[in-house]
Amino acid sequence: MRIRPGRTRSLVGGVAALLVMLVGLVMMSSTGGMGFVPAPFILMWIVIGLLGAGVAFYNAFSREGVPLYEVEMDDEERRFCPQCGKPVEGDDRFCEHCGARLR
């Protein structure tokens, strides 16, 4: 099973992260808006905004992506315990969870 983000959702998220970062910078630099904002805070705002946008764009354009939303199932058939319904390995003779004998 493979879980990965949707490309459209990640692309929109990356653009939104950049817009939030830019609007915040404009608000921080305006003289009447927030008053004096220390330079380390502005630098931290830029770094966090770029990291958020970078992760979202990586998800949108990479084959691997960071696990988030879409699920791709493998072709392997999964086995489940007939007693408790928990997943079991293919070569198990007994269920790890309830101890029931597997066929």
Side-chain angles (χ1 to χ4, degrees):
M1 177 169 56
R2 185 172 161 185
I3 302 170
R4 46 179 257 162
R7 294 186 187 277
T8 305
R9 183 181 183 113
S10 295
L11 189 59
V12 169
V15 170
L18 288 177
L19 286 175
V20 167
M21 182 190 67
L22 291 174
V23 167
L25 286 175
V26 169
M27 288 176 61
M28 285 186 262
S29 65
S30 67
T31 55
M34 298 177 66
F36 174 72
V37 179
F41 181 78
I42 294 173
L43 182 63
M44 187 173 56
W45 182 263
I46 292 171
V47 168
I48 290 172
L50 290 176
L51 281 173
V55 167
F57 288 136
Y58 177 76
N59 285 335
F61 297 113
S62 171
R63 283 191 78 112
E64 297 162 4
V66 177
L68 291 177
Y69 304 110
E70 292 179 2
V71 177
E72 296 176 9
M73 297 300 289
D74 295 334
D75 292 336
E76 296 178 19
E77 189 175 316
R78 296 193 69 183
R79 290 182 47 197
F80 297 93
C81 173
Q83 183 76 22
C84 67
K86 302 275 185 176
V88 294
E89 296 295 322
D91 57 347
D92 287 348
R93 297 180 74 189
F94 296 94
C95 177
E96 294 178 6
H97 305 283
C98 69
R101 184 175 178 92
L102 302 173
R103 294 181 213 145

